[in-house]
Amino acid sequence: MFNNRLRLFNYVLPILLLFTVIGTVHAETLTIYSGRSKSLVEPIIKQFEKETGIQVKVSYANTTQLAATLLTEGDKSPAALFWAQDAGALGAVSKKAMFEKLPESILAKVPSDFRDADGFWVATSGRARVLAYSPERVKMEELPQSVFDLTQPMWKGRVGWAPTNASFQAFVTSLRVQVGEEKTEEWLHGMKANGVKKYAKNTPIIEALAAGEIDLGLPNHYYLLRFKKGNSGFPAAQTFFKADDPGNLVNVAGIGLLKSSKNKEAALRLVEFLLSAKAQQYFTSDVFEYPVIEGVIPNANLLPLSELLQLAPTFNLNDMDDLDGTVDLLRRVEIL
């Protein structure tokens, strides 16, 4: 009897171990490279895991760095999806033919302005570049009307930016497309000569405004709103430049499916989930970003999207694919 049980155990044990290994592999097959901050996107990824049973492994890093990593890895990349902080990085990867075209059922959920013209990536939320300022030290009538006015002597040593941040680099890419390489480089030199202060990312810019280190800053719109959520009296405000100014760039966070993905079905389920009403409401209500689908309850703290687009420059996000050129320019001007 004992020998029979031992033989049965020896037969069952390898099968159990095999299922354990298969389960472990499955849990790691859907890998995401995320240029979006963990604090912002982890809650919605956890919700996806809970609802689908699909486990997701996320590698978080700077969007620009992740794009460079993907270009280096090629079809050997373990990533199934690239979730980028901006359209420029998505364009850079798409230009190398690394994305697979998304199904029409997914593309149709999002307006054409918020997805790749050829269907290789789709926006998951929208954001705007703003002019943040100290209302205590800058009067409304003094606020610059254009991003190019920031090189004026009156703003010497009073402006902050985050040149290593992917959103800022995407903004510079948009400048290169809109006004040309020469004028963009001239502006960068002018800002540097005017004593612009460097910060690692957008959050420290907002903190520096409150601390009196700077009087103006160039972040994305949602950073200040997060501070205001915890403290309505936070001593900073934000506005836009005049209508159509290049400084009013409306950009997107977006996602693309890599051709080399080993689990495309699960990857597409995640993309669909990010475009669901539940996920879009999260991005709007909790992250203070703009939804990219219809039917989402607006966030009262956000300028209505229709009004935002009236302020934004006429600009095709698909043209923001020369990330390398922007990094080269920033290095040439010795900003990076």
Side-chain angles (χ1 to χ4, degrees), residues 25-34 54-60 70 73 77-83 255-258 261-263 266-267 270:
V25 171
H26 175 73
E28 296 184 354
T29 50
L30 184 55
T31 298
I32 299 177
Y33 281 4
S34 175
I54 299 171
Q55 296 186 41
V56 183
K57 178 180 178 182
V58 187
S59 294
Y60 295 99
L70 283 170
E73 292 175 340
S77 177
L81 294 164
F82 178 34
W83 195 358
I255 199 162
L257 171 66
L258 291 157
S261 169
K262 302 298 189 295
N263 195 346
L270 177 55

Side-chain angles (χ1 to χ4, degrees), residues 148-333:
F148 295 107
D149 293 341
L150 295 176
T151 60
Q152 294 177 353
M154 69 177 295
W155 303 118
K156 187 173 182 65
R158 300 173 67 187
V159 183
W161 66 10
T164 60
N165 182 264
S167 292
F168 176 82
Q169 292 178 8
F171 164 64
V172 174
T173 303
S174 77
L175 281 186
R176 294 172 57 224
V177 175
Q178 293 181 77
V179 304
E181 193 85 7
E182 183 177 343
K183 187 171 181 179
T184 301
E185 183 169 352
E186 180 183 342
W187 179 74
L188 292 170
H189 278 296
M191 292 292 288
K192 185 179 176 183
N194 215 30
V196 64
K197 296 182 180 178
K198 290 184 181 181
Y199 295 91
K201 50 187 179 179
N202 288 293
T203 299
I205 291 177
I206 304 300
E207 293 171 337
L209 282 169
E213 295 176 17
I214 54 175
D215 295 335
L216 301 176
L218 294 173
N220 284 339
H221 78 272
Y222 45 84
Y223 288 94
L224 177 59
L225 297 180
R226 292 172 196 158
F227 279 90
K228 292 282 191 180
K229 181 179 181 181
N231 175 12
S232 60
F234 190 83
Q238 62 189 24
T239 187
F240 294 92
F241 298 106
K242 64 184 179 183
D244 295 324
D245 189 77
N248 296 339
L249 174 69
V250 175
N251 203 341
V252 297
I255 199 162
L257 171 66
L258 291 157
K259 285 182 179 178
S260 56
S261 169
K262 302 298 189 295
N263 195 346
K264 292 177 182 177
E265 182 179 350
L268 288 173
R269 287 186 69 182
L270 177 55
V271 176
E272 289 175 338
F273 181 78
L274 295 177
L275 295 177
S276 68
K278 178 182 294 186
Q280 290 291 298
Q281 195 66 62
Y282 165 77
F283 290 130
T284 302
S285 301
D286 293 65
V287 187
F288 297 100
E289 293 182 319
Y290 286 91
V292 294
I293 66 168
E294 298 290 338
V296 178
I297 300 171
N299 188 322
N301 294 291
L302 296 177
L303 183 72
L305 183 59
S306 59
E307 295 181 29
L308 175 65
L309 294 178
Q310 289 177 2
L311 291 170
T314 302
F315 181 72
N316 189 337
L317 294 176
N318 291 290
D319 294 333
M320 292 173 53
D321 58 5
D322 186 18
L323 188 59
D324 289 341
T326 294
V327 172
D328 289 343
L329 173 59
L330 293 172
R331 286 173 176 161
R332 187 164 69 247
V333 182

Side-chain angles (χ1 to χ4, degrees), residues 122-134:
V122 66
T124 54
S125 58
R127 75 274 296 282
R129 298 293 292 178
V130 294
L131 176 68
Y133 66 97
S134 166

Side-chain angles (χ1 to χ4, degrees), residues 13-24:
L13 180 60
I15 296 176
L16 292 174
L17 290 174
L18 178 60
F19 278 113
T20 300
V21 170
I22 291 174
T24 302

